[in-house]
Amino acid sequence: SRIVRVLMLPVASVCRNSETPFLLVLSYLHVHTALFSSKDFEGKSQHGAYGDATEEMDWSLGQVLNVLDEMKLADNTLVYFSSDQGAHVEEVTPKGEVHGGSNGIYKGGKANNWEGGIRVPGILRWPSVIQAGQEVDEPTSNMDIFPTVAKLAGSPLPEDRIIDGRDLMPLLQGRSQRSDHEFLFHYCNSYLNAVRWHPRNSTSIWKAFFFTPKFTPEGSNGCFSTH
């Protein structure tokens, strides 16, 4: 069945008429520095200012999802939640408090192209179309949002330029087990910094760096002395 509504989070155009197709792009300042939260959440988490901001953003997203449920729009609405980069591991206050979150086992963070800087969670919900609980362990890109939404809306892609994104629906619906991105190019401003290559018909994954950050002090996961 053809989708008639697309809701993307976070990334605003809002239509209050539930019978009209709409696109909501909601971009949060939460968990971006400088950190802040309202009085209802300030000082309430076990992880300082970053935890407070995270919990308030989680609550706010819940409010949006609740409205979709109440208006009986959830089954016909695609929700996409993601981030634009990994956590800023170098964000440290004068008191030594780390305010940039965590990238877990991945090296690096915001502003570089190691996995900690570019690998972010992507969580999608569309109950009538996407199977709940599935995990897709294939590389995609935020550039994929545009062609995916255009395809679902029945709109042709521009033909006067190269579109780098790919339609996500074959992966999300299990019609494909492999990302259409054989190559992913990673930039530092206007400079090509790294290239990821997953050859067709191969389990090998290669990543070439053309220049790398110098992490300091030795053994650290960021360039702390430069911040």
Side-chain angles (χ1 to χ4, degrees):
S1 61
R2 178 181 170 188
I3 184 175
V4 295
R5 297 181 180 86
V6 179
L7 171 68
M8 295 171 54
L9 303 172
V11 209
S13 163
V14 183
C15 182
R16 297 182 179 179
N17 183 346
S18 62
E19 300 302 319
T20 304
F22 65 87
L23 170 69
L24 169 65
V25 181
L26 182 57
S27 300
Y28 284 92
L29 287 176
H30 289 71
V31 305
H32 196 293
T33 55
L35 294 170
F36 69 93
S37 54
S38 68
K39 292 182 179 179
D40 289 340
F41 292 89
E42 185 177 4
K44 300 297 178 61
S45 80
Q46 298 181 14
H47 298 282
Y50 193 89
D52 295 346
T54 301
E55 291 192 4
E56 183 161 21
M57 182 176 67
D58 179 68
W59 167 84
S60 179
L61 288 170
Q63 297 296 104
V64 176
L65 297 181
N66 287 343
V67 170
L68 291 178
D69 291 336
E70 292 167 5
M71 299 184 71
K72 301 187 185 305
L73 298 176
D75 282 346
N76 206 24
T77 303
L78 171 62
V79 177
Y80 182 95
F81 174 80
S82 189
S83 178
D84 53 355
Q85 77 262 317
H88 193 178
V89 295
E90 298 169 350
E91 186 73 17
V92 181
T93 71
K95 297 180 180 180
E97 299 170 322
V98 178
H99 273 184
S102 170
N103 295 312
I105 64 173
Y106 298 112
K107 182 178 181 178
K110 178 181 177 179
N112 65 60
N113 283 298
W114 296 104
E115 294 300 283
I118 60 176
R119 187 185 291 237
V120 296
I123 304 173
L124 297 97
R125 187 184 81 159
W126 192 0
S128 64
V129 176
I130 300 175
Q131 180 181 347
Q134 68 171 320
E135 296 182 11
V136 177
D137 188 25
E138 283 291 298
T140 61
S141 167
N142 281 342
M143 294 186 297
D144 297 334
I145 296 173
F146 171 60
T148 301
V149 170
K151 180 74 175 292
L152 292 171
S155 176
L157 292 174
E159 297 182 354
D160 61 344
R161 70 203 69 184
I162 296 174
I163 303 298
D164 293 317
R166 300 290 187 268
D167 181 13
L168 290 172
M169 294 312 297
L171 272 177
L172 298 176
Q173 292 182 294
R175 292 183 278 115
S176 174
Q177 303 301 316
R178 182 71 178 260
S179 170
D180 279 344
H181 292 286
E182 180 178 358
F183 293 93
L184 284 172
F185 298 89
H186 306 296
Y187 288 83
C188 179
N189 296 317
S190 61
Y191 299 98
L192 182 62
N193 185 186
V195 179
R196 182 189 189 280
W197 179 35
H198 190 177
R200 301 294 185 189
N201 302 317
S202 172
T203 58
S204 298
I205 299 176
W206 303 85
K207 192 172 180 182
F209 274 84
F210 299 108
F211 58 93
T212 63
K214 182 179 180 181
F215 291 167
T216 58
E218 186 176 351
S220 67
N221 199 30
C223 310
F224 295 100
S225 62
T226 65
H227 183 60

